[in-house]
Amino acid sequence: MRQKIVAGNWKMHKNAEETEDLLNDLIDKLPSDAEVHIIVAPTFVNLASAVEHLEFTNINVAAQNMHQAEGGAFTGEISADMLKSVGVSTVILGHSERRAYFHESNSLLKSKVDTALKHELVVIFCFGEELKDRQSGNHFNLVENQLKDSLFHLAEKDWANIILAYEPVWAIGTGETASPEQAQEMHEFIRNTIDSKFGKNVSENVAILYGGSVKPDNAREIFSKPDVDGGLIGGAALKADDFATIVSAAI
Ligand code: PEP
């Protein structure tokens, strides 16, 4: 049985004090049983303090990005080793905002995934189609290519550290959610795609999260679908009450 996972992507929100306040609120409000794996992704500058703050809790800390190189002259960038050195366990790669605004391609993401896995980081790998792809009926094809180009070179053992996050771009931050049926249809397609390349041992065990305007009032229905193993949450992860309700919906 796959464990449900709910991850909060805080994007470029919350300064140091606000991060601490939100973490305290989350510690108070989130369920402390082990039935759901909870992850939060504050900004880079607040990662170390978040790890310290959450040390005796069941909440894990993720970075929102990292550079593919081991180190060097890459002004403004952060390496996998730096993340590990402050206790970060997980990294989000391929978020649609990174793809759109920072031109991250499938092949660049392949390198980032390799570097992250080499450093034993868990990768939350994001992908999903834009509205024009869905309207033209190209969404399955596009998603398949995103997976093939960035993940199909992996070995079976690598999948123990991969979490997939299907995020239709048209549903991110828009208030427009994929219907539970649309989410299930795509998640089933993703699982079958992984199955055809890696077999059941990988496809039945990999968690596939849904992301895109998940809110307290729609989370339970989306998470109840058989191939939806939880969610990657943006806006609603910034309010402790909303995030706690969404986490509870995954139990
Ligand atoms: C996200 O940024 O990954 C996301 C899903 O955002 P939102 O929940 O705000 O749509």
Side-chain angles (χ1 to χ4, degrees):
M1 175 89 171
R2 294 182 296 271
Q3 196 186 21
K4 294 273 187 194
I5 301 169
V6 178
N9 172 16
W10 294 9
K11 311 194 186 192
M12 198 171 72
H13 295 291
K14 306 287 178 191
N15 64 23
E17 196 183 330
E18 292 161 348
T19 295
E20 198 171 315
D21 288 348
L22 180 52
L23 291 174
N24 284 336
D25 262 9
L26 290 174
I27 291 167
D28 281 352
K29 291 174 177 163
L30 286 173
S32 58
D33 51 53
E35 280 180 69
V36 52
H37 181 177
I38 306 167
I39 303 169
V40 293
T43 60
F44 278 134
V45 293
N46 295 310
L47 288 173
S49 64
V51 168
E52 251 177 63
H53 217 86
L54 297 173
E55 190 179 354
F56 299 109
T57 73
N58 62 336
I59 309 169
N60 287 285
V61 177
Q64 299 172 19
N65 178 35
M66 52 154 250
H67 196 271
Q68 66 277 14
E70 292 297 332
F74 299 104
T75 301
E77 292 292 333
I78 301 285
S79 72
D81 175 59
M82 290 167 191
L83 297 179
K84 287 292 285 194
S85 73
V86 296
V88 168
S89 62
T90 305
V91 61
I92 298 172
L93 295 176
H95 191 278
S96 65
E97 287 149 19
R98 301 289 321 168
R99 291 176 187 261
Y101 307 141
F102 303 96
H103 313 294
E104 296 198 356
S105 64
N106 292 345
S107 71
L108 173 77
L109 291 167
K110 178 180 178 192
S111 316
K112 290 194 177 199
V113 168
D114 286 343
T115 305
L117 293 178
K118 184 173 160 207
H119 287 267
E120 296 177 343
L121 284 160
V122 172
V123 173
I124 300 178
F125 183 80
C126 305
F127 56 98
E129 81 282 1
E130 293 180 36
L131 187 57
K132 63 176 167 40
D133 305 308
R134 186 160 277 264
Q135 283 170 338
S136 66
N138 192 39
H139 46 302
F140 291 114
N141 203 15
L142 186 122
V143 160
E144 187 174 356
N145 284 335
Q146 288 174 321
L147 294 171
K148 277 187 176 162
D149 291 354
S150 300
L151 302 179
F152 266 30
H153 66 292
L154 296 178
E156 185 176 331
K157 68 170 176 32
D158 295 330
W159 285 87
N161 284 331
I162 299 280
I163 297 167
L164 298 176
Y166 167 62
E167 300 205 300
V169 180
W170 48 272
I172 296 180
T174 59
E176 181 89 29
T177 323
S179 68
E181 291 70 32
Q182 283 173 316
Q184 170 56 26
E185 183 187 36
M186 182 57 93
H187 281 228
E188 190 178 354
F189 171 79
I190 293 163
R191 208 175 293 289
N192 288 340
T193 303
I194 301 296
D195 181 31
S196 65
K197 171 71 181 167
F198 295 97
K200 290 259 175 292
N201 201 23
V202 172
S203 68
E204 289 301 318
N205 287 310
V206 67
I208 309 176
L209 312 186
Y210 170 79
S213 298
V214 176
K215 305 284 179 221
D217 60 357
N218 61 18
R220 190 168 293 280
E221 210 188 337
I222 296 171
F223 296 167
S224 71
K225 293 294 174 191
D227 287 297
V228 178
D229 302 311
L232 178 56
I233 318 300
L238 298 170
K239 293 186 194 127
D241 286 319
D242 286 0
F243 193 63
T245 305
I246 292 169
V247 168
S248 301
I251 295 173

